[in-house]
Amino acid sequence: MLPLYVTSGEPAGIGPDICLSLAGRIDERPIVVLGDLNLLRGRAECLGISVELIEYSGQENSSLIGQLYVEHVALNQTVVLGELNPQNSAYVLEQLRRSAEYAMSGKSVGVATAPVQKSVINDAGIHFSGHTEYYQEFAGVDRVVMMLATKTLRVALATTHLPLRAVPDAITQERLHQVIDILLHDLKTKFKISNPKVLVCGLNPHAGEGGYLGMEEIEIINPVLESYRAQGINLSLSLPADTLFTPENLKDADAVLAMYHDQGLPVLKSQGFGEAINITLGLPFIRTSVDHGTALSLAGTGQAKSSSLNVAVDLALDLARH
């Protein structure tokens, strides 16, 4: 059985802690953590967790409760809990590189990722916008779509990690066509939704109020949406984001398309923080992730919740079955 790889992320944060929780699972295929074996052993001792760490050779199948497959990635420097060290940024990126290489070459079914700290990677002099952009560049695809999901809500983003000042200029008809094409394709193929219904947020308050609060809806967003609607595709025209996310509007929706990061994600995370997951659509492989950050202050305390990582692994395995 091809494995699913899990990156352990920023070593000073809770990534190693929550990855150790995967030893409590039994799955139909191997789950392999990318990380430093000594770091994981030390973190397990710190947390009082009894776990057998097994170096993955590529021949193993499902593990027993209390066992965890690990592919060793060597740290550059010793980790101090909760203290970021730019010298270990290369270690974090090596996890991502291996996970992407294995997925692209057919050596795995995909990857689930624990959190990284973008700031410390940039402090090391390496430009890094995030997992989503990294995997996009590695795969050589023109566009990917970030989508977060809970059990009852999916929110995709037209733009991702941009300063708010840059968002309006980034929302072009070309970008919207690319994002919507990817969103519809992956809802149909990966999630097996034959005729997805998507609600689309406007950019401006009240979706522009007929042009009084902005022209982007009239000049850019709605013409794109009308072109899909003319083909019988179930997309709304741009809707005011402050009322779109009501239970009545969402009850029959398969996904929401938000124009920018903090338009849709606060609503989703308020509904299911710790149970939500991040999915990168448009990649030629499966990639899911946790919905939270590195939580440096919780590293090694035993207070970190592993539910989001386990849900991310569950979804990756489910998508692999499809």
Side-chain angles (χ1 to χ4, degrees):
M1 296 285 287
L2 289 175
L4 175 76
Y5 280 89
V6 179
T7 62
S8 55
E10 167 54 49
I14 63 170
D17 305 40
I18 61 177
C19 283
L20 289 168
S21 76
L22 300 175
R25 300 173 58 104
I26 294 180
D27 294 291
E28 74 269 25
R29 64 178 68 247
I31 308 298
V32 184
V33 173
L34 288 161
D36 188 287
L37 270 165
N38 293 322
L39 169 71
L40 291 166
R41 286 194 186 103
R43 195 66 59 89
E45 183 177 348
C46 176
L47 294 168
I49 297 174
S50 178
V51 57
E52 180 186 1
L53 301 178
I54 303 169
E55 285 203 65
Y56 183 66
S57 69
Q59 303 302 314
E60 297 87 349
N61 287 313
S62 61
S63 56
L64 300 175
I65 294 289
Q67 296 179 331
L68 184 64
Y69 293 129
V70 179
E71 179 171 321
H72 179 63
V73 182
L75 277 163
N76 290 9
Q77 291 193 357
T78 301
V79 171
V80 178
L81 285 171
E83 293 187 15
L84 297 171
N85 184 348
Q87 295 298 314
N88 281 325
S89 294
Y91 162 78
V92 175
L93 293 178
E94 176 62 12
Q95 299 172 41
L96 305 192
R97 186 198 67 79
R98 291 195 199 182
S99 68
E101 179 183 299
Y102 296 157
M104 290 288 289
S105 62
K107 295 179 181 177
S108 76
V109 295
V111 56
T113 57
V116 299
Q117 188 88 15
K118 292 187 280 290
S119 61
V120 74
I121 297 173
N122 283 279
D123 287 344
I126 305 166
H127 176 70
F128 182 78
S129 298
H131 281 108
T132 301
E133 294 83 359
Y134 179 92
Y135 287 124
Q136 174 187 357
E137 183 176 351
F138 195 101
V141 294
D142 292 334
R143 180 77 61 198
V144 294
V145 175
M146 178 188 290
M147 184 172 79
L148 271 77
T150 65
K151 292 180 180 179
T152 59
L153 178 62
R154 301 182 185 96
V155 177
L157 301 178
T159 62
T160 53
H161 298 123
L162 291 178
L164 192 56
R165 188 184 300 274
V167 168
D169 290 340
I171 296 175
T172 63
Q173 290 194 1
E174 179 184 16
R175 176 190 282 262
L176 288 176
H177 275 293
Q178 291 173 331
V179 167
I180 292 169
D181 284 347
I182 290 169
L183 175 59
L184 293 173
H185 176 272
D186 280 19
L187 287 174
K188 292 175 182 177
T189 59
K190 292 181 178 177
F191 291 86
K192 302 302 180 185
I193 302 170
S194 59
N195 183 30
K197 177 181 179 181
V198 179
L199 303 181
V200 182
C201 297
L203 171 66
N204 297 296
H206 301 181
E209 193 77 59
Y212 288 101
L213 295 177
M215 294 297 293
E216 284 85 0
E217 288 78 9
I218 293 172
E219 295 178 349
I220 299 171
I221 300 171
N222 282 342
V224 171
L225 300 177
E226 286 167 348
S227 71
Y228 286 95
R229 289 162 62 88
Q231 303 172 50
I233 296 172
N234 201 352
L235 264 67
S236 73
L237 293 177
S238 57
L239 298 170
D242 62 343
T243 55
L244 182 155
F245 288 99
T246 59
E248 181 66 23
N249 286 330
L250 290 174
K251 65 180 181 180
D252 296 321
D254 295 302
V256 172
L257 177 60
M259 291 296 111
Y260 56 94
H261 188 282
D262 282 12
Q263 183 182 58
L265 298 194
V267 180
L268 180 137
K269 291 190 178 185
S270 71
Q271 291 189 7
F273 190 70
E275 301 292 337
I277 50 172
N278 184 347
I279 311 113
T280 305
L281 307 180
L283 290 172
F285 56 87
I286 295 163
R287 184 260 167 161
T288 64
S289 182
V290 297
D291 70 337
H292 56 74
T294 53
L296 297 168
S297 64
L298 298 182
T301 67
Q303 297 179 39
K305 294 182 179 180
S306 60
S307 52
S308 183
L309 180 63
N310 278 274
V311 175
V313 169
D314 287 340
L315 178 61
L317 295 174
D318 189 48
L319 294 177
R321 293 186 200 101
H322 292 167

